[in-house]
Amino acid sequence: MRRILVTGALGQIGSELTVRLRELYGESNVVASSKSVKDDQRELVEAGPFEIVDVTNREQLAEVVTKYRINTIIHLAAILSAVGEANPHLAWDVNINGLYNVLEVARHENCSVFTPSSIAAFGDSTPKDNTPQDTIQRPSTIYGVTKVAGELLCDYYYHKFGVDTRGVRFPGLISYKTLPGGGTTDYAVHIYYEALRQKKYTSYIGPGTKMDMMYMPDALDAIIQLMEADPAKLIHRNAFNVTAMSFAPEDIARSIQKFIPEFELDFDVDPVRQAIAESWPNSLDDSAAREEWGWNPKYDLDAMTEDMLKNLKSKLGL
């Protein structure tokens, strides 16, 4: 039986993944954790085991792992790309020192570890279209630097110490349940809110800027499928390319217009986030994930748009 600790459990991925994991493995077997709690996060905190955990504090992390006899750590606590550029020191501390602490605790307590990497691990010199699983990685952001280092560190702990480490390179993630936390692809969530509220949206990402994206239900499936995969079939382990769709802002606008014909899109490009977006791939080759553990997303752009608008309309009381 898996006994799972989720770090960063109140973030965009963690808040939904924790609920799904509790449905699969039992409420008492999934411990949610976060560095702090906001008032609007109380429902998840009170729904099952919860602990305050700052991943930069190894002793605190180890205490929780020991207390609950954890054997699987899903490590989601991280500083994202746009926030990281504003505070590179914090990004390094949380993303690298936090991961190092998780791996050290996992080594001593015999835990398996899942931690996500990102399309941000690539850079301007990476092939832009159908980006290979194994290719040059020279990112230009501190977030990307931490993700490349994290991939290598997880590989090292697997080969050196036998820690069962696994991970994927997530594209931008889209969800109606929880707002994103300061990434470059956040526009692809905000656009749906504004389509319903205002019937218009001003994108900070410029036209023609394609990025890989994924709907959150597929992202949750990817984590669970990889953690349950036969380890003998895993070659890459810590940095599987996964994707579901690739689009530019005007593509998502056209998808929304199929359901809200009067929706309008204009642009006010943010040079910082635009530069980050342009350094990332247009589309990923995820054939390794498909071959090694059966990855197969369920949602394309229009299916996601229909589901997002339906659920957000209900959520916003519109």
Side-chain angles (χ1 to χ4, degrees), residues 45-311:
V45 169
E46 295 168 0
F50 178 86
E51 295 283 344
I52 293 292
V53 174
D54 179 351
V55 295
T56 64
N57 184 330
R58 192 186 306 173
E59 291 72 23
Q60 188 180 57
L61 180 66
E63 286 174 5
V64 172
V65 168
T66 302
K67 175 181 177 180
Y68 290 93
R69 296 180 296 118
I70 297 297
N71 58 31
T72 303
I73 302 173
I74 296 183
H75 178 49
L76 304 176
I79 302 299
L80 300 183
S81 58
V83 176
E85 287 307 284
N87 194 338
H89 177 80
L90 179 65
W92 182 268
D93 191 29
V94 174
N95 294 5
I96 294 298
N97 295 332
L99 175 58
Y100 177 71
N101 288 339
V102 166
L103 291 170
E104 274 293 282
V105 171
R107 177 167 75 93
H108 289 288
E109 301 298 331
N110 196 28
C111 299
S112 59
V113 175
F114 173 93
T115 191
S117 186
S118 164
I119 57 171
F122 301 116
D124 285 324
S125 52
T126 300
K128 294 291 187 186
D129 297 307
N130 208 31
T131 302
Q133 171 68 42
D134 301 306
T135 187
I136 189 168
Q137 295 175 255
R138 300 287 292 179
S140 57
T141 65
I142 189 65
Y143 178 67
V145 169
T146 65
K147 287 303 177 182
V148 174
E151 291 180 10
L152 296 172
L153 193 60
C154 287
D155 278 342
Y156 179 80
Y157 267 75
Y158 169 66
H159 291 293
K160 179 72 172 180
F161 302 117
V163 177
D164 181 7
T165 55
R166 308 185 187 193
V168 299
R169 294 182 182 127
F170 272 133
L173 298 180
I174 299 173
S175 169
Y176 65 86
K177 292 185 178 180
T178 306
L179 285 169
T184 302
T185 57
D186 290 4
Y187 89 89
V189 177
H190 299 314
I191 192 171
Y192 287 109
Y193 282 83
E194 295 309 304
L196 289 168
R197 288 169 171 160
Q198 307 292 337
K199 304 296 189 289
K200 60 182 180 181
Y201 179 72
T202 300
S203 174
Y204 56 77
I205 296 295
T209 310
K210 285 186 174 290
M211 288 184 282
D212 271 53
M213 300 281 183
M214 184 182 294
Y215 198 29
M216 188 62 76
D218 280 332
L220 303 185
D221 284 347
I223 295 171
I224 294 164
Q225 288 171 14
L226 178 54
M227 289 306 295
E228 294 295 347
D230 179 356
K233 296 181 179 180
L234 301 181
I235 299 170
H236 292 89
R237 281 194 161 267
N238 293 303
F240 284 99
N241 285 355
V242 289
T243 186
M245 62 195 88
S246 176
F247 56 75
E250 62 270 27
D251 297 322
I252 195 172
R254 282 192 289 268
S255 183
I256 290 171
Q257 286 163 352
K258 294 178 182 179
F259 304 92
I260 306 175
E262 64 272 32
F263 175 72
E264 297 179 359
L265 175 69
D266 59 13
F267 298 89
D268 182 13
V269 176
D270 171 8
V272 173
R273 285 184 284 194
Q274 182 66 27
I276 295 172
E278 289 176 358
S279 74
W280 292 354
N282 298 328
S283 60
L284 299 177
D285 174 3
D286 62 359
S287 56
R290 292 173 181 270
E291 292 166 4
E292 293 177 38
W293 48 276
W295 164 243
N296 187 24
K298 299 181 177 69
Y299 287 87
D300 62 13
L301 176 54
D302 285 344
M304 177 182 72
T305 294
E306 182 176 11
D307 198 64
M308 279 287 290
L309 292 174
K310 179 186 72 173
N311 284 288

